Amino acid sequence: MTSSARRPSRSPFLGPSAAVLVLAAAGCSLSDAQPPVPVPTPSAEAAAYCEALHEELPGTILDQERSDPSPDSALTAGWGDGAIVLRCGVPRPAKMDDPQAQGVEADGVQWMLEEPEGSGPRFTTTYRKAYVEVTLSSAYAHDITPLAAFAGPVSKTVPGRF
């Protein structure tokens, strides 16, 4: 006995076109997203300073529009899709114990400089009741100008440690 039932024919374009559509959608959604930024876990006192700082941060820094990273938190902020990233309430960097550590001053706020391999510079405030970290993309490797945009908000909301 042979079966006379035939399989319905498939369009040769249905499978590949669906695959292309899925790949295109995945590519767009993954490539446009900036990487997540780890959210610090500060003390309650430091978190309160950080929340106040978050409200005072500028909307634009050097023509970079604010685009906060994920996950959404009052302890993180970003500009230019990750070109400039701020995290407030980070732990005190061990490098602060190094007497050879480099520092800079921007409009009255002291920052310690770290230069991690493979990325742009990272600055952390010193002499403050909460540590504020700013990471710049390699495009700002020799430019501390973005730090000036944070001086007013940091001075206003994060008291000095004296």
Side-chain angles (χ1 to χ4, degrees):
M1 273 189 167
T2 61
S3 171
S4 62
R6 287 185 52 178
R7 290 177 133 172
S9 67
R10 285 184 158 174
S11 167
F13 299 107
L14 181 59
S17 64
V20 168
L21 181 62
V22 169
L23 290 174
C28 289
S29 64
L30 293 176
S31 64
D32 293 342
Q34 53 183 313
V37 172
V39 176
T41 53
S43 68
E45 177 187 21
Y49 297 134
C50 293
E51 289 173 12
L53 173 62
H54 192 76
E55 297 300 316
E56 297 294 324
L57 293 172
T60 304
I61 297 176
L62 296 177
D63 296 328
Q64 299 290 332
E65 293 294 321
R66 186 157 173 185
S67 58
D68 289 349
S70 64
D72 187 35
S73 171
L75 303 175
T76 61
W79 293 262
D81 291 329
I84 302 168
V85 175
L86 178 142
R87 296 186 328 134
C88 186
V90 298
R92 183 181 188 275
K95 181 100 175 164
M96 283 192 184
D97 293 330
D98 181 354
Q100 302 299 316
Q102 296 179 11
V104 297
E105 186 267 341
D107 291 344
V109 176
Q110 301 292 323
W111 301 84
M112 181 193 69
L113 166 65
E114 294 179 275
E115 298 180 85
E117 286 190 38
S119 65
R122 178 174 57 227
F123 297 90
T124 307
T125 57
T126 61
Y127 309 115
R128 297 274 162 191
K129 291 194 175 187
Y131 293 104
V132 179
E133 172 190 278
V134 173
T135 304
L136 305 175
S137 72
S138 56
Y140 298 103
H142 303 287
D143 185 3
I144 64 166
T145 307
L147 297 180
F150 299 117
V154 168
S155 294
K156 181 177 180 180
T157 60
V158 184
R161 207 182 277 255
F162 299 104

